[in-house]
Amino acid sequence: MTTHSDSRTEERASLRNAIDQTDANLVRTLVERRRLAEALGALKAGDGALVRDMDRERAVLDRAIALGREEGLDEAFVEKLFQLVIDDSLRRQRAGLDARVRTATLNEAKVAYLGGPGSYSQFAADAHFAGRYSAVMPVIQREFAGIFEAVEKGEADYGFAPIENTTTGGIVEVYDLLRDTKLKIAGEHHYKVEHCIVGKAHDLGTVRTVLGHPQALRQSQRFFARHPELKTRAVSSSTEALNEALTGKPDIAAVAGRDAARLFGLNVIDSHASDHPENYTRFVALAIDPEPASPLLPCKTSLVIVTSDAAGSLVSALDGFRKEGVSLTKLESRPIAGKPWQQMFFLDLDGHEEHPNVARALETLQGHAVSVHSFGSYGSDRLEPARRGGA
């Protein structure tokens, strides 16, 4: 005899199965939309049209919100969902037009980065090169200098290095290596970092020592200030920290991401180790003289400049960007080795070197700077989302 409880259990199972089927259909629809967007992107590139069309994006949002409203869906939910869909479309189109190494037949990219399995660099590199190549072949390095050397010696097609973080700022070692390299920037990737304390233990009460890369420990200082009983120890990479947490005693833990804990079979002991919830690291892909990005992309251009000691020389050098309406997204000074108290400046600007206004601004810069070195133009990773028409 079927009981009321059995009937309710069967009903729940049936509904869950229907939800699973609906989810599968939703994923297939998203895949089909991505395919159509990529085909449209190829047509636009063939016609010389810009990848981004803000009016079209606003029209897509307005139509989706109107349809959702008719079906009783929350407008903010629909807008957020479709902004994510549009962002994915732009990323996929950018993958085919971004700067890349000149080997036309390259399917698998050899990428040099810090650490190994479970490192933030691994997850960021996999995300960045997805859509560009069929696979990433890691060329593991233990220090930042090794990343640059691997590319310069031809051991890797790309280097992939963190350059700045929204919590701790610019990564000095990488900027110093950029100062002397002949490599160009072939792309950027902003990776959201969510530091966790991971290990064999199930709670912090049994943890005594936490290992992590120096940057990870710096970005978790408030957490460790709240837990003075925990000793910290810096290691060369998150991978090394994870390995020690895996093979050592249960009182050893690591600062790493949730995905890394899953990869190593470790517990997430505390998921709130980051000083700030919105913690992003910007990575740059480096290559020897890559093919430049298409001017049809929303692009960034990176430079390092040296100005004279004359009063107002930096202001004069940068004035062309103001006159031409070119936005500077970064201006960072670094000392010049061997020349005490003299500075060089790293600049990031919105736009491609071939865009007329950028070219004119760079001409003004050349006229006032002692030296200008360009790292090239490449696709912007962070794009301001389109807003609804009239919003």
Side-chain angles (χ1 to χ4, degrees):
M1 183 178 68
T2 301
T3 66
H4 178 71
S5 176
D6 290 338
S7 176
R8 300 287 288 183
T9 299
E10 290 176 3
E11 185 178 1
R12 280 198 300 270
S14 177
L15 288 171
R16 286 170 176 164
N17 182 63
I19 288 173
D20 289 344
Q21 291 298 317
T22 302
D23 288 346
N25 291 335
L26 178 60
V27 170
R28 283 191 285 269
T29 299
L30 290 171
V31 170
E32 175 63 10
R33 192 194 191 282
R34 172 187 276 187
R35 186 191 66 78
L36 294 170
E38 289 176 338
L40 178 61
L43 282 177
K44 288 193 293 183
D47 293 338
L50 295 176
V51 166
R52 192 159 202 204
D53 184 341
M54 294 288 280
D55 289 339
R56 167 63 180 168
E57 291 176 27
R58 281 190 285 268
V60 169
L61 285 174
D62 287 341
R63 186 174 60 258
I65 289 167
L67 289 170
R69 189 187 303 120
E70 292 176 4
E71 300 295 334
L73 290 176
D74 179 73
E75 292 186 10
F77 166 74
V78 175
E79 181 175 7
K80 183 176 181 180
L81 175 63
F82 272 80
Q83 281 179 340
L84 288 172
V85 170
I86 291 169
D87 183 68
D88 175 74
S89 175
L90 291 172
R91 286 177 183 275
R92 300 293 293 189
Q93 292 181 55
R94 184 176 68 240
L97 296 173
D98 209 348
R100 61 196 303 124
V101 296
R102 294 179 181 270
T103 307
T105 59
L106 188 65
N107 292 317
E108 296 181 341
K110 292 184 292 184
V111 182
Y113 56 76
L114 199 68
S119 67
Y120 294 110
S121 292
Q122 179 226 323
F123 292 115
D126 287 347
H128 177 75
F129 289 101
R132 289 170 166 83
Y133 299 97
S134 60
V136 169
M137 307 297 290
V139 181
I140 305 304
Q141 302 297 316
R142 292 181 59 84
E143 55 187 21
F144 291 128
I147 296 173
F148 286 74
E149 290 175 7
V151 182
E152 290 165 351
K153 292 179 179 179
E155 297 169 356
D157 303 305
Y158 293 94
F160 196 71
I163 193 170
E164 61 181 318
N165 176 266
T166 54
T167 300
T168 54
I171 298 174
V172 172
E173 301 97 313
V174 176
Y175 273 109
D176 286 346
L177 289 162
L178 277 172
R179 179 183 60 198
D180 300 319
T181 189
K182 294 182 180 179
L183 301 180
K184 300 282 189 176
I185 297 178
E188 66 170 358
H189 187 86
H190 292 78
Y191 182 78
K192 187 171 185 180
V193 177
E194 297 177 305
H195 293 309
C196 302
I197 306 300
V198 307
K200 294 178 181 177
H202 293 277
D203 59 75
L204 281 177
T206 56
V207 176
R208 295 293 176 265
T209 304
V210 180
L211 313 180
H213 185 273
Q215 286 290 328
L217 295 177
R218 283 183 62 199
Q219 293 163 23
S220 308
Q221 292 181 84
R222 293 182 183 178
F223 174 86
F224 291 112
R226 295 195 301 270
H227 295 279
E229 74 280 5
L230 298 175
K231 292 171 55 180
T232 61
R233 177 158 60 87
V235 293
S236 65
S237 69
S238 297
T239 305
E240 183 177 344
L242 288 160
N243 276 324
E244 289 204 37
L246 179 65
T247 59
K249 296 178 180 179
D251 64 353
I252 295 177
V255 179
R258 187 181 297 274
D259 289 338
R262 189 179 301 113
L263 181 66
F264 277 72
L266 296 171
N267 300 316
V268 175
I269 303 169
D270 194 301
S271 61
H272 300 94
S274 293
D275 285 350
H276 301 282
E278 293 298 307
N279 181 17
Y280 288 85
T281 294
R282 177 187 172 217
F283 289 82
V284 290
L286 302 158
I288 298 174
D289 192 27
E291 293 279 2
S294 168
L296 302 176
L297 282 175
C299 281
K300 291 172 74 171
T301 300
S302 293
L303 315 163
V304 60
I305 69 170
V306 178
T307 60
S308 72
D309 294 333
S313 61
L314 179 60
V315 174
S316 298
L318 300 181
D319 195 45
F321 298 112
R322 179 187 64 81
K323 290 179 178 178
E324 297 294 341
V326 177
S327 296
L328 295 181
T329 58
K330 188 174 184 64
L331 178 62
E332 177 129 350
S333 65
R334 291 290 302 142
I336 301 176
K339 296 183 179 181
W341 316 119
Q342 294 190 35
Q343 300 285 312
M344 63 177 62
F345 299 90
F346 288 87
L347 282 71
D348 291 338
L349 59 93
D350 280 338
H352 194 288
E353 289 174 309
E354 294 184 14
H355 293 162
N357 63 329
V358 174
R360 290 191 296 268
L362 292 176
E363 187 176 349
T364 300
L365 178 66
Q366 292 278 4
H368 290 90
V370 173
S371 68
V372 177
H373 173 68
S374 173
F375 294 105
S377 298
Y378 49 93
S380 297
D381 184 50
R382 291 180 68 83
L383 300 175
E384 187 68 24
R387 300 297 177 188
R388 296 169 56 187

